[in-house]
Amino acid sequence: MSAADAERALNDYFEKRGGHGHDAVRTAARHPIDAIRALRFIARLSVIDAELRTDGDAALVRRGLERTNPLARRLIRGTTAVLVVPDTVEEFLAGSSESKRSLRTRFNRATRRGYHVHRTDGHEERRAVLALADRYERSHPDELYRNQAPDNDYLLGVGTWLVAHDVDCRPLILAVPAISGEWAVLQHFKTLESSDDARLARYWMSVELVRELHAQGVRYLADVLSPIGLPNGLRDFQRRLGYRLHRVRIRP
């Protein structure tokens, strides 16, 4: 089995067994044969060596890649959803697949509507955007994503904040990648309201995020969330953008 075949099979397993936030240990215990197959798929994944630096948001990047306790990390062998950042936005948008055509269509639509990205650096400005994020998280219309006690204050110290605005300067989505060297870990990528404009902004911001990461010399963008318990809606969105499962091996 090739690494690509193993990656697709493992993603199918996560979608079937872990895509609703279920406890991974209980799920594996109830379906041991599938769990053993999943471990075999993990063993065949491609490996990316992460030589982490100590500058920028290094502590958050390391924490995001390590993510779990040492025992669980050893079991899944660093399996992480990673987007390999292309050299150009045009390369990111290129392709004949349905997902790439859809991405181009939505990106162009948002651009025509006057969407623009703003680097948010001031503390008070960040506080105002974070208040919007916390409020929406507490009242999210989907119970799966609702959180009555969001804990996002740590984001205030992250170096890069990107906010997508519509033509009327209404903030629609907040993206916060922690960056150190060639690696970034996406700490926050969430809409600030429930609307068609905000949903469109998710795709538009994905392109602008790639543009920003490339400008900062980032080669790999990893998701801070474990692929095991990731909701299937987010899993599908990631794969449409080009995220794939890899084993990330952290070097000293």
Side-chain angles (χ1 to χ4, degrees):
M1 175 181 281
S2 69
D5 289 338
E7 194 277 337
R8 284 190 290 270
L10 182 61
N11 182 75
D12 290 344
Y13 168 78
F14 287 152
E15 186 173 327
K16 180 180 178 183
R17 298 298 186 196
H20 304 284
H22 294 158
D23 182 88
V25 175
R26 287 201 299 267
T27 300
R30 287 197 296 267
H31 307 280
I33 302 301
D34 284 352
I36 291 171
R37 289 197 188 104
L39 292 176
R40 290 174 179 166
F41 298 148
I42 287 174
R44 289 172 171 80
L45 291 178
S46 62
V47 178
I48 302 176
D49 286 326
E51 296 184 7
L52 302 183
R53 290 164 41 171
T54 57
D55 58 350
D57 304 309
L60 278 178
V61 171
R62 177 175 291 277
R63 191 184 312 158
L65 291 176
E66 291 180 341
R67 196 172 46 237
T68 54
N69 65 64
L71 178 60
R73 189 163 60 251
R74 197 175 301 120
L75 186 64
I76 67 171
R77 304 175 74 174
T79 301
T80 304
V82 178
L83 175 67
V84 179
V85 178
D87 290 333
T88 65
V89 164
E90 289 72 24
E91 184 181 341
F92 182 59
L93 289 168
S96 59
S97 65
E98 183 277 331
S99 60
K100 287 296 186 179
R101 292 196 303 271
S102 177
L103 177 61
R104 286 194 297 271
T105 297
R106 295 178 186 189
F107 175 75
N108 292 333
R109 185 186 305 157
T111 301
R112 287 193 300 271
R113 290 186 183 183
Y115 284 25
H116 55 281
V117 68
H118 176 60
R119 283 284 302 266
T120 305
D121 295 320
H123 186 78
E124 292 306 314
E125 188 179 11
R126 287 187 173 192
R127 274 284 182 195
V129 175
L130 199 60
L132 291 176
D134 288 349
R135 184 163 67 242
Y136 182 56
E137 208 167 325
R138 284 191 291 265
S139 61
H140 199 289
D142 190 334
E143 198 171 81
L144 186 62
Y145 301 102
R146 195 178 305 149
N147 181 3
Q148 295 298 332
D151 184 18
N152 295 319
D153 282 359
Y154 79 97
L155 295 173
L156 293 169
V158 181
T160 300
W161 274 46
L162 303 175
V163 183
H165 295 260
D166 66 7
V167 69
D168 297 319
C169 291
R170 186 168 97 253
L172 297 173
I173 187 169
L174 169 64
V176 184
I179 298 173
S180 181
E182 293 186 335
W183 279 89
V185 173
L186 194 55
Q187 301 292 315
H188 192 93
F189 189 93
K190 297 179 183 180
T191 56
L192 301 171
E193 63 178 41
S194 179
S195 68
D196 289 340
D197 288 338
R199 284 183 282 275
L200 181 61
R202 292 173 73 213
Y203 292 89
W204 185 85
M205 177 62 100
S206 299
V207 180
E208 293 302 317
L209 179 60
V210 164
R211 192 193 309 276
E212 175 67 24
L213 293 177
H214 180 262
Q216 295 199 41
V218 173
R219 292 186 60 199
Y220 304 104
L221 172 63
D223 188 11
V224 73
L225 299 175
S226 168
I228 296 174
L230 193 70
N232 282 335
L234 287 179
R235 191 188 313 280
D236 179 67
F237 178 69
Q238 282 185 351
R239 294 188 73 78
R240 284 175 173 271
L241 296 177
Y243 283 82
R244 293 296 181 263
L245 298 172
H246 297 270
R247 283 166 46 205
V248 178
R249 187 166 53 194
I250 300 175
R251 292 299 191 187

